Amino acid sequence: GRTDESEADSPSGCAMMLLAVACEATVSTMQEHVLKRDQRPLAEMILVTNALGAVLLWSVAAAKGELRDLQARVEERPAAIGWLLLTVVLAYGGSYAFTAAIKAVGAVVATGMGICRKLASVLASYALFPKEMHPRHAAGLSLFFFGLALSWGA
């Protein structure tokens, strides 16, 4: 289900976001190191990373009983498999492009590109699905642009 706003703004919600950012930065840096040091092909890096991630995801989903929910959803709506496969293909394309950027320009620049992509997604979401803009949203946007300006000046 959807997380309500008060939950997302809680200390634990903020901690989860910081953890996600730290994990993404760490993975990107590790991938850059392996791609450049060992000269591994992009497809191999993505296959290994995603295969290990899939095993972990399936294990957690099985332990939490979510695989039964998935099976019930697919039985109720068989077209869900098509949407799931499309999502996987699109995710692979994005992952390949991101990993190629890491190999070409490094983890820092690639992560910056990823952040800009996420900003564009959020702005598009506000444009396509109008919602209320809270002062904290404006503050976050201001901090984003401030950080971007600092990084360009360095």
Side-chain angles (χ1 to χ4, degrees):
R2 296 189 64 98
T3 304
D4 87 27
E5 244 176 76
S6 61
E7 234 179 281
D9 292 342
S10 70
S12 63
C14 292
M16 288 296 284
M17 289 305 299
L18 289 173
L19 177 62
V21 169
C23 288
E24 186 172 335
T26 302
V27 167
S28 299
T29 303
M30 291 170 64
Q31 286 178 332
E32 178 182 12
H33 181 72
V34 170
L35 286 166
K36 290 186 176 180
R37 181 194 65 199
D38 299 337
Q39 296 298 306
R40 304 309 311 161
L42 292 175
E44 178 185 294
M45 174 68 71
I46 293 166
L47 177 65
V48 170
T49 302
N50 288 341
L52 293 173
V55 168
L56 179 62
L57 180 64
W58 278 95
S59 300
V60 169
K64 293 176 76 177
E66 293 176 356
L67 294 180
R68 286 186 301 275
D69 295 342
L70 174 62
Q71 181 181 359
R73 192 168 294 121
V74 168
E75 287 172 359
E76 180 182 318
R77 292 185 147 161
I81 288 293
W83 285 104
L84 182 61
L85 291 174
L86 178 61
T87 301
V88 168
V89 169
L90 292 172
Y92 175 80
S95 183
Y96 191 90
F98 183 68
T99 307
I102 290 171
K103 188 172 187 176
V105 296
V108 173
V109 173
T111 300
M113 291 165 48
I115 290 167
C116 290
R117 181 205 52 82
K118 290 171 186 168
L119 175 66
S121 294
V122 169
L123 294 176
S125 172
Y126 273 87
L128 296 173
F129 309 104
K131 51 186 94 35
E132 185 178 347
M133 174 71 90
H134 295 282
R136 65 180 176 272
H137 297 148
L141 196 57
S142 298
L143 287 172
F144 171 81
F145 284 114
F146 179 70
L148 201 56
L150 284 177
S151 71
W152 285 339

